[in-house]
Amino acid sequence: MSNKNHPYHLVDASPWPILASLSALILMSGIIKWFHFYNHSLLMIGFTSMLLIMFQWWRDISREATLQGLHTYTVTMGMRWGMILFITSEVFFFISFFWSFFHNSLAPAIELGMNWPPKGIMTFNPIQIPLLNTLILLTSGITVTWAHHSLMENNYKQSTQGLMMTVILGLYFSLLQGYEYFESSFSISDAAYGSSFFVATGFHGIHVIIGTTFLAVCMARHMKNHFSQIHHFGFEAAAWYWHFVDVVWLFLYISIYWWGS
Amino acid sequence: MASLCGRVAVSSVRKNVLCTSYRFASKVTMGDPIEHATGLEKRELLAKAAGNENPFDLKVIKRGPGTKAQPNEIPSAFDARLVGCVCEEDSTSVNWMWLHKGQARRCECGHWFNLVHKAPV
């Protein structure tokens, strides 16, 4: 190892890729079983094994970075490009839902009463909880930037506070979104409106939960002193992801909640 | 058993509360970034701090005379290195070849290369 004089990270053998693939197979079979028989036993097995594998795989990566010092400048540049390409693919994933929403809403079919929102759909009031949610996500964008600048200023205390507030705002958003879903007068089965509304906002909600988890992991790592002033890409990736989720919400709010109501 | 569990819980809570309150009481940093790093990452940071912007010799090397008597010297910490020769300035391709330690080698364009040992950073 001491003779190594290249900046690349040649990874050690790991059980996680094959185990993650097998658990993805179980997870997918579990979803199919759930859809067809309304029984979620296999889904829970797949979900649990996937969560355990994700935890251990990412634990290994943070050990390689923090405790083994394997993440050189070149390696972090590779991860930066990986995250940029991943978020780009996520942008296109959401574009597909906006495409179907505008396809259905810009020229509503006769079956919908040639109206948007369709006849009989009671939409949410955009200036109530959805506007509060917009405010929450915009504020969390500020607090995550505060946490980032505190990290770059080598300020442990304020980066902890900024991260803590971002995670709390993320949880608050999910809570309010859950309340809205609970109160909703229409369901995912209510024709084009219900489908496009719940698929788009539902996938956004899952992304908020993933982003909040990502930021919470960063907070735990920060409290274990994993990050330094110049090396904290795990946090930066979480912040990029969080900004992406924030921007998707602005588009959802403007097009589906506001214009679409 | 219950008292043992209780003691473990109380001591870990006390430790965390004291540790956290200490951290929040004073201006606390994450430490010096070079001291914070370890392993290869630290070796790279130390090399850069010492003024070596190219610690792994990955940048393009400008070719010298490249004769048999004065071959182009290619640094490596290994026994062999892949070398790409841009034979002419306007060349649209790179000619790759393996260069082994102790065996000077000539590219098909006529330039000579020799592997010289360089200690790892």
Side-chain angles (χ1 to χ4, degrees):
Chain A
M1 224 26 189
S2 60
N3 192 41
K4 177 182 164 182
N5 205 43
H6 64 74
Y8 303 105
H9 180 193
L10 305 180
V11 291
D12 294 318
S14 160
W16 310 128
I18 184 72
L19 291 180
S21 309
L22 290 173
S23 102
L25 174 66
I26 296 170
L27 187 63
M28 186 203 64
S29 312
I31 290 170
I32 294 168
K33 188 182 175 186
W34 180 44
F35 284 174
H36 281 265
F37 303 110
Y38 214 68
N39 172 316
H40 59 249
S41 54
L42 192 62
L43 178 63
M44 285 302 139
I45 293 171
F47 194 58
T48 309
S49 64
M50 186 57 97
L51 281 179
L52 288 170
I53 289 162
M54 288 195 299
F55 181 85
Q56 291 170 101
W57 194 340
W58 271 315
R59 177 206 62 188
D60 283 3
I61 293 170
S62 81
R63 284 175 178 174
E64 288 162 358
T66 312
L67 307 176
Q68 295 185 274
L70 289 165
H71 288 187
T72 60
Y73 176 76
T74 312
V75 174
T76 60
M77 284 308 279
M79 291 189 296
R80 271 166 209 279
W81 277 107
M83 198 66 200
I84 289 168
L85 292 171
F86 170 65
I87 291 176
T88 308
S89 76
E90 292 264 82
V91 168
F92 282 95
F93 179 75
F94 277 96
I95 284 176
S96 67
F97 302 130
F98 281 102
W99 191 295
S100 73
F101 170 76
F102 285 117
H103 178 91
N104 287 315
S105 61
L106 286 172
I110 185 73
E111 292 87 343
L112 305 175
M114 296 179 86
N115 270 326
W116 195 271
K119 198 169 164 53
I121 293 278
M122 284 282 291
T123 58
F124 290 114
N125 186 344
I127 60 165
Q128 290 180 355
I129 285 181
L131 183 63
L132 177 58
N133 271 339
T134 306
L135 201 65
I136 289 167
L137 281 191
L138 288 176
T139 312
S140 74
I142 297 171
T143 55
V144 80
T145 305
W146 169 32
H148 189 205
H149 280 263
S150 305
L151 270 182
M152 291 189 294
E153 297 278 336
N154 212 349
N155 189 333
Y156 175 86
K157 186 171 138 186
Q158 291 202 14
S159 37
T160 314
Q161 289 167 339
L163 261 169
M164 181 88 78
M165 287 184 69
T166 315
V167 170
I168 290 171
L169 289 166
L171 291 174
Y172 187 33
F173 176 93
S174 300
L175 206 73
L176 286 175
Q177 208 53 354
Y179 176 74
E180 281 266 273
Y181 275 22
F182 187 73
E183 293 276 290
S184 170
S185 65
F186 55 91
S187 84
I188 197 169
S189 312
D190 281 325
Y193 189 86
S195 304
S196 49
F197 179 88
F198 279 109
V199 169
T201 62
F203 270 115
H204 176 264
I206 285 180
H207 282 75
V208 169
I209 291 166
I210 293 169
T212 310
T213 314
F214 198 173
L215 286 164
V217 167
C218 285
M219 192 170 74
R221 289 189 68 198
H222 178 57
M223 291 174 101
K224 282 170 156 284
N225 216 350
H226 280 203
F227 296 136
S228 85
Q229 191 180 0
I230 56 166
H231 193 164
H232 45 257
F233 179 66
F235 169 83
E236 286 179 307
W240 290 355
Y241 193 80
W242 193 249
H243 285 307
F244 154 71
V245 167
D246 193 355
V247 171
V248 170
W249 172 260
L250 294 180
F251 280 101
L252 283 176
Y253 179 73
I254 292 166
S255 354
I256 297 183
Y257 285 92
W258 189 7
W259 176 81
S261 70
Chain B
M1 188 65 196
S3 73
L4 184 68
C5 290
R7 251 189 302 169
V8 168
V10 167
S11 78
S12 64
V13 165
R14 195 173 50 195
K15 198 169 63 188
N16 281 320
V17 166
L18 285 177
C19 180
T20 311
S21 59
Y22 166 73
R23 281 175 166 177
F24 279 88
S26 51
K27 156 86 178 173
V28 181
T29 69
M30 290 89 77
D32 177 67
I34 295 182
E35 284 300 310
H36 185 281
T38 184
L40 189 63
E41 185 197 354
K42 187 170 193 168
R43 282 156 54 194
E44 184 188 35
L45 288 175
L46 287 170
K48 285 184 178 170
N52 181 3
E53 281 299 317
N54 189 20
F56 302 110
D57 299 296
L58 291 175
K59 290 190 177 153
V60 174
I61 298 168
K62 195 85 182 154
R63 223 173 25 214
T67 59
K68 192 171 185 181
Q70 270 183 291
N72 295 295
E73 293 192 332
I74 306 296
S76 177
F78 300 93
D79 290 335
R81 185 170 180 183
L82 259 178
V83 176
C85 179
V86 183
C87 301
E88 283 157 52
E89 203 179 329
D90 299 332
S91 180
T92 52
S93 64
V94 180
N95 272 343
W96 296 96
M97 64 178 177
W98 272 106
L99 187 62
H100 293 267
K101 194 182 273 180
Q103 287 171 284
R105 206 167 164 193
R106 202 196 73 151
C107 177
E108 58 188 43
C109 65
H111 290 100
W112 282 84
F113 296 88
N114 190 29
L115 201 71
V116 290
H117 179 75
K118 183 191 166 259
V121 288

